[in-house]
Amino acid sequence: MITSNREKVLRELIRQIEAKLGILNEMESSCCGVSFTQCHAITEIGRSGNISLSELAEKLNVDNSTMSRTVNNIVNKGLANREIDPNDRRYVTISLTEEGKKVFEEIEYTMNNYFKKIYENIPENKREQVLESLKLLTDAITKGVCCGK
């Protein structure tokens, strides 16, 4: 398979974005006292209010055992509750504690401000184009991952 120069440019741009956003790992863990993965889990739990372990794993694109370990760590920190359905012990739901809700709000506030600054640095007449392009990129990545292409 021959790789075109444009595919290489796409790869390099995505690599640069990943590297530049890598600072989020440090920001998130330092501002909230949780790991990058825990931060993502807390965000998804906070946004849904109450979510099953399997739904959370699917949203974060990780397997259930990895998600279970992450949730265990969040529960051990007192940030989330893990409840087993009395009718089906395989079904586990997760919700945030009051302390977890505070961490969630801090994450949301910090990240919203961070991305607001990025958004404001995009020329105003290109902002919608950038959002549309990122949506197209996200959809293309999803198709590539889900279909094994």
Side-chain angles (χ1 to χ4, degrees):
M1 178 171 146
I2 298 172
T3 303
S4 77
N5 190 42
R6 303 313 291 165
E7 291 164 345
K8 289 178 183 177
V9 170
L10 175 63
R11 178 181 175 195
E12 180 59 19
L13 289 171
I14 291 174
R15 189 195 65 74
Q16 288 177 21
I17 290 170
E18 287 175 332
K20 291 181 187 305
L21 290 179
I23 62 166
L24 293 178
N25 293 353
E26 296 166 23
M27 283 176 51
E28 288 175 342
S29 61
S30 65
C31 82
C32 307
V34 296
S35 73
F36 185 62
T37 305
Q38 291 168 357
C39 226
H40 279 292
I42 289 168
T43 299
E44 289 300 333
I45 298 165
R47 288 180 179 174
S48 48
N50 192 8
I51 190 168
S52 76
L53 184 65
S54 58
E55 289 171 315
L56 184 58
E58 185 177 319
K59 281 184 178 261
L60 296 178
N61 199 30
V62 297
D63 61 60
N64 282 350
S65 62
T66 300
M67 193 76 267
S68 184
R69 285 190 299 278
T70 299
V71 168
N72 283 343
N73 289 329
I74 295 170
V75 168
N76 291 338
K77 289 182 179 198
L79 303 176
N81 295 311
R82 175 184 221 162
E83 297 182 19
I84 298 171
D85 186 317
N87 299 323
D88 183 354
R89 297 196 47 80
R90 296 171 296 164
Y91 192 78
V92 176
T93 57
I94 298 103
S95 60
L96 295 178
T97 62
E98 288 306 312
E99 187 62 29
K101 290 175 185 175
K102 290 177 189 173
V103 171
F104 167 67
E105 292 299 326
E106 184 179 350
I107 292 166
E108 289 289 278
Y109 178 80
T110 302
M111 292 298 100
N112 286 341
N113 284 332
Y114 179 81
F115 284 98
K116 180 178 185 226
K117 290 174 188 172
I118 293 172
Y119 185 75
E120 289 171 347
N121 282 322
I122 299 169
E124 193 170 340
N125 65 333
K126 299 289 186 177
R127 290 176 182 168
E128 286 305 312
Q129 179 183 352
V130 168
L131 295 178
E132 181 182 352
S133 296
L134 287 171
K135 174 73 172 115
L136 289 169
L137 180 61
T138 302
D139 291 348
I141 291 168
T142 300
K143 287 178 185 173
V145 170
C146 80
C147 304
K149 295 179 182 174

